Amino acid sequence: MADTSLIVPRTLSGFRDRLPKEAMAKEKLLQKLSCVFESFGFAPIETPHLEYADILVKHGSDEIQKELYRFKDHGGRDVVLRFDQTVPLARFISQYRNELDLPFKRFAIGNVFRGERAQRGRYREFTQCDFDFIGSDSIACDAEIIQVIYASLATLNIDDFTIWVNHRSILNGICKHFGITEIERFLRTIDKLEKIGQEGVAKELEELVDSSEISEVLSIITMRQTIAIDEFLDSVAYMKVWNDELKKGLEELEEMFSIIKDLEMDQSRCRVDFSIARGLGYYTGIVYETTLNRLKNIGSVCSGGRYDNLTKSFSKESLSGVGASIGLDRLLAALEELGLLQGRSTSARTLIACMDSSYLGFAHKVAESLRRSGIYTEVYPEAQKLRKQLAYANNKGHEYCLIIGENEFISHTFTLKNMATGMQLESLSFLRALEIMKK
């Protein structure tokens, strides 16, 4: 008869556990990204997972408002789990304005929550890596965000990606030119191009644009740079005379590309796409979406843009901001599919295997010396058959196995096995074994 008192172990839909292999891959990835952020002078900050509801409500899109995890806490306070790290940043900047030097460059790594439909690489709890400039209107800041995106993916050995850029003023200018008054609805509609295609977007535009102009609107918003940036910008320069919004957007894109054109980064990795809208309502200037060319169906792995008015809810002082966010869970799923994740579930490079339990004290002394020399080391806790200990090392991803048998114990020498090549060296001194493992 089944024991009904036992609780079935399970996780909530849209939430997940990470086994050591994936958790380690995530940790390594975060270490690399943090190094990139710090190399550009961004400083880390932390904000709470939970905020007062009035801090977060109405800053996201209508869709995000429906996805908020909102509830009363034990003190009866109206609270919300953060849905991104940008709105909490606006609160943070306003609250600590007198303690921060402007321009302020920060990065933040943490979990956010959205009650959306779970799917591949997309969960209800997920990790975001944000990096932002606050307090400068300079387009040089926008250009630097592109450099950080580029450097972040490059450090992860991803070389086949595209950073798509657009400007909210270009989209606003298109709306103004064609008499579209429901701008937010228009932005939400063109943001669906990848999901519902041009026919689906055209159908939704029937309620926003004169039917005789739908084809022309579609032809403009689907413009995507396929030639050199100077040629592309020249080809669309005629739109500057339509209105000041379009003029501003196009000129700021020109300025941004003039800053990055002489960098060593592959210029073809950054291209203009007039359909990039970004769903969040607080963006006001240049916006970014980054896709992996071999995995376009996974969506953007790094998105963001300029938000010049975000702090207005918290302060009369208006502070400009621009930044981007790397969706870590989606990026991890992509890296796994591309075969770029390390297949290890241990941080230890070396496993010490003992053939007799009486050697364990010596093994731990050796392990202590190895760790002091910078070699992460694990000691197998029991004197099992060597085959079992080697299988353990192979499964966990140890690079080396240091074997202590009777001869090794008596002579204080070692047998060292390379787990990748299978090569085995015997009668090594400690210093010689250390020298090999350090290579």
Side-chain angles (χ1 to χ4, degrees):
M1 184 175 179
D3 188 344
T4 57
S5 66
L6 293 177
I7 299 172
V8 178
R10 52 186 176 158
T11 54
L12 286 166
S13 174
F15 296 81
R16 58 182 312 209
D17 300 309
R18 292 189 188 277
L19 294 174
K21 180 179 176 181
E22 189 178 5
M24 281 195 62
K26 177 179 178 179
E27 182 184 12
K28 296 293 184 186
L29 189 151
L30 288 176
Q31 289 173 355
K32 290 180 179 180
L33 291 177
S34 295
C35 287
V36 171
F37 302 152
E38 290 176 350
S39 74
F40 282 83
F42 290 82
I45 67 166
E46 294 182 12
T47 60
H49 289 78
L50 207 60
E51 297 271 4
Y52 283 103
D54 60 358
I55 300 291
L56 299 181
V57 170
K58 299 304 178 186
H59 279 289
S61 64
D62 291 341
E63 184 178 354
I64 285 180
Q65 297 305 314
K66 298 173 185 176
E67 298 169 353
L68 292 178
Y69 283 97
R70 184 175 183 176
F71 53 93
K72 299 284 187 180
D73 70 1
H74 294 305
R77 290 172 288 261
D78 189 10
V79 295
V80 175
L81 283 170
R82 63 187 182 192
F83 63 83
D84 76 356
Q85 297 202 85
T86 305
V87 181
L89 171 63
R91 189 267 305 157
F92 179 92
I93 293 292
S94 300
Q95 189 170 343
Y96 301 102
R97 172 66 184 86
N98 295 330
E99 300 174 43
L100 301 172
D101 294 319
L102 297 181
F104 177 62
K105 299 170 72 172
R106 71 98 197 210
F107 74 91
I109 298 171
N111 288 6
V112 297
F113 304 83
R114 297 180 190 177
E116 58 187 347
R117 185 173 65 86
Q119 51 188 297
R120 185 173 67 114
R122 198 178 185 100
Y123 307 98
R124 291 172 178 169
E125 178 185 19
F126 52 98
T127 305
Q128 283 188 334
C129 306
D130 284 30
F131 44 98
D132 298 81
F133 259 105
I134 301 294
S136 175
D137 296 321
S138 173
I139 298 300
C141 299
D142 303 70
E144 186 167 312
I145 293 299
I146 284 183
Q147 295 177 60
V148 178
I149 297 172
Y150 188 97
S152 296
L153 295 183
T155 200
L156 300 177
N157 297 318
I158 301 173
D159 57 9
D160 194 14
F161 62 89
T162 304
I163 305 169
W164 299 103
V165 300
N166 195 16
H167 200 298
R168 272 291 178 84
S169 289
I170 291 174
L171 295 172
N172 292 341
I174 291 171
C175 288
K176 187 174 182 179
H177 181 71
F178 289 98
I180 301 170
T181 56
E182 296 182 62
I183 297 177
E184 287 296 323
R185 187 177 174 188
F186 173 75
L187 295 177
R188 289 197 302 272
T189 299
I190 66 171
D191 206 29
K192 300 176 185 177
L193 263 171
E194 292 292 333
K195 295 180 181 178
I196 64 177
Q198 290 193 34
E199 289 187 10
V201 170
K203 187 171 182 62
E204 292 196 16
L205 287 177
E206 290 176 359
E207 300 179 23
L208 301 172
V209 188
D210 188 281
S211 58
S212 63
E213 295 180 322
I214 289 178
S215 177
E216 187 179 356
V217 171
L218 267 177
S219 69
I220 293 173
I221 64 174
T222 55
M223 283 184 178
R224 177 178 276 193
Q225 178 196 342
T226 58
I227 54 180
I229 184 59
D230 290 341
E231 295 178 55
F232 177 80
L233 291 173
D234 285 344
S235 72
V236 296
Y238 67 91
M239 289 192 287
K240 290 181 184 179
V241 300
W242 287 4
N243 53 60
D244 290 340
E245 289 267 29
L246 271 161
K247 186 174 186 293
K248 176 188 176 185
L250 290 169
E251 287 182 348
E252 289 193 353
L253 283 183
E254 290 171 357
E255 184 180 351
M256 185 190 73
F257 278 101
S258 73
I259 294 171
I260 66 173
K261 69 178 181 180
D262 293 325
L263 300 176
E264 292 186 9
M265 59 181 276
D266 183 350
Q267 301 293 317
S268 68
R269 292 280 165 260
C270 185
R271 296 178 177 272
V272 178
D273 181 348
F274 284 167
S275 71
I276 300 299
R278 301 297 301 129
L280 294 173
Y282 49 67
Y283 290 118
T284 58
I286 293 172
V287 288
Y288 320 87
E289 286 194 357
T290 309
T291 56
L292 306 183
N293 297 337
R294 290 164 56 192
L295 293 174
K296 294 180 181 178
N297 61 329
I298 207 166
S300 177
V301 296
C302 183
S303 308
R306 178 167 284 278
Y307 43 91
D308 286 340
N309 302 313
L310 197 60
T311 59
K312 68 179 183 181
S313 297
F314 309 103
S315 170
K316 293 180 180 178
E317 181 184 17
S318 182
L319 294 175
S320 300
V322 59
S325 176
I326 297 174
L328 201 71
D329 298 87
R330 188 178 294 186
L331 185 56
L332 278 168
L335 289 172
E336 184 174 20
E337 194 163 335
L338 293 171
L340 296 175
L341 283 185
Q342 291 184 340
R344 301 183 63 192
S345 58
T346 178
S347 58
R349 292 186 62 200
T350 301
L351 176 73
I352 298 181
C354 292
M355 305 312 298
D356 190 283
S357 59
S358 63
Y359 309 154
L360 284 171
F362 176 57
H364 279 279
K365 181 179 179 180
V366 172
E368 182 181 50
S369 297
L370 287 173
R371 294 186 197 110
R372 286 178 177 173
S373 300
I375 303 294
Y376 288 11
T377 304
E378 179 181 355
V379 178
Y380 196 85
E382 300 174 29
Q384 299 279 358
K385 290 182 178 180
L386 182 59
R387 178 180 296 179
K388 182 174 183 179
Q389 297 186 66
L390 291 176
Y392 177 85
N394 190 58
N395 290 336
K396 291 192 71 175
H398 293 93
E399 296 175 45
Y400 295 98
C401 187
L402 198 69
I403 303 167
I404 301 176
E406 182 179 3
N407 292 335
E408 289 85 2
F409 180 70
I410 293 173
S411 62
H412 281 204
T413 59
F414 307 94
T415 295
L416 184 66
K417 185 179 182 66
N418 186 311
M419 297 305 298
T421 65
M423 183 178 292
Q424 186 167 299
L425 300 173
E426 300 178 356
S427 300
L428 298 177
S429 68
F430 175 82
L431 290 178
R432 179 56 182 150
L434 177 63
E435 181 184 358
I436 293 171
M437 286 185 279
K438 279 197 165 185
K439 287 183 179 178

